[in-house]
Amino acid sequence: MTRARASAGGTAVNGPVTPMFHKRPDFAPKDLMKVVVFVVGLLLFLPSLRVGFLLDDFYYLGAIEGHFPDHDTGRSLFTYFINDEVETARIAREGGYPWWIDEGVRSQIFRPLSDLLLKIDHALFGRSPLGYHLHSLVWWTATLVACALLFRRVLPRAVGVLALLLFVLDEAHVMPVAWIANRNALVATAPVLLGLWAWIRWREDGWRMGRALALVGFGMGLAGSELALAGLAYVVAYELLGAPVSGLRSRLVGLVPLAALGGMYVVIYRTLGYGGEGSGLYFHPLLDPVEFVTAAVTRVPTLLASGILGFGADLWFVAPGARPVQVVVGLAGVLVLMGALRVCWPYMDSSTRRALRWLVPGSLLSLLPIVATFPSDRMLLVPGLGLAAVIAAVLVAAFESMRERKRRILPAVAGVLGIVHLVLAPLMTIYVQYLLIRQSRESLELAASPVVRDSGNLETVLLFVPDHVVGLYMPLLIDHVGGRAPKSWRPLSIAACDHRLRRTGNRTLELETVDGAMMHGVFEILYRSPKNPLSPGTVIDRGLFRAEIVAAAEDGPTRVAFHFDRDLRDPTLRFLVWRNGELRVAILPALGESVAVERSLGPAGF
């Protein structure tokens, strides 16, 4: 393909400069392919309108309606743990938190724009989820517009259209679009990408309003979610590696407005007391630098395994035993993609090469804020921008080079990438939405089921449940369907393994894991960091019972004795267990005897 080579020179910012990238009108009505891609992007996510509410959605609804005064959600809906050890202990004694919670854990996130949008949704649509989902599709459309403008600006037509298509088809976007609670990712991403586009126009064309509009977009994104920090990584990469200026000093000067905005954000965040600590899922790069770096070593390859080869990052959550494989696949994916990029480099035009010089580092840099939390496909929304660009460039260049027999390996690599991102990705996008629809329906049906309804006003103890939907979120769902709330809802274990239950006294039960340990899964370490383990001999008073750690392995307790404050036959107690895919009334073993409690899949599908 032929294209005029753009100059990499030009130092003026306040006036027109020789553009680094090819120039085309920002809006071209004849761009039929982009229109088709937009239509595909909307049609592909129409099933999300049937998802309904999920998990944290019920928490936010309850918070808006004033059901959780202890959580100070009037300040921020995104308040998960309060900064008060005494109050946290009191809530845990009443059954509001699982028994293993560390009283020092806290988490309150600064997302004022997303907070406001949820409240507006509730004012307009109440408890009808359709309006919320339509609103999410608006933000998805805005994200696609921003992505299209950016790719149009920095990539040649064929590569840009294919990159946009890859971005649209990516199953990693299902949760931000289909899960209302995760919409904040789109609220952060859309304005930041629009800001990046405006920033480049300021740098390339001397568009005076570009810098101001860019800073507005960046600020709006930061008000939407901390994920905007990942988006700003592209701005940093562009300034250091792509801006049409010469000399390190000039490049650093270009970052001054961005640094000032970032500094203001950090000051506001910390001064107002936002942030979190005590959880095993989140690592602060400044407060926990060693843990953060250690986590990044495994979490970055895990995310890249999904972003490059489609080896789902959510396996980190669903199947912890697969984590080493994810790391290996991620490293292999990087080597394959970088090798293909090197081979394809001569077949790319100058504008593609110049764009990739900062888009690829920007994508990698955007992973750093993300690895502060556990790997998940939904965290690839921002890094996926650069990955879509480089994969599209490789696919287009591979097609151009197919006539050269000495490059036989390149079509094979391109074929794998094409199958993963153009065939499997849209199928997975549809399938994951189907799973979410089913999970939402089954969860609400369970909340309205007789076994749950009959637990109203009772101290409800779950001997074992397989996942967070039943173990942690069910009280929120019961409230949503208008059922009688249990006096408390207390899971004894949600560890992903079989258990054995022993009755060692009239008031005592012992729960032992089989081929596994507690405090190892995501929703266990969410409430207590492995840095603050529960060792043998530890006794935790939770009102209804005292949990005594009897035995523990290196990664968590393996046997826990629960000493109740009343006889186990007391009518105010109700014991439930998840067995064969449903919640049932548990039959306790006789004194001195034990029974096996086998694990089966829960509503979340694992």
Side-chain angles (χ1 to χ4, degrees), residues 8 134 160 185 196 211 339 355 432 505 543 564:
L134 287 171
L196 176 57
R211 178 169 63 173
V432 173
F564 286 79

Side-chain angles (χ1 to χ4, degrees), residues 283-285 288-301 368 371-372:
F283 300 104
H284 196 291
D288 303 305
V290 176
E291 289 82 0
F292 178 82
V293 172
T294 302
V297 170
T298 56
R299 292 179 177 185
V300 167
L368 293 183
V371 296

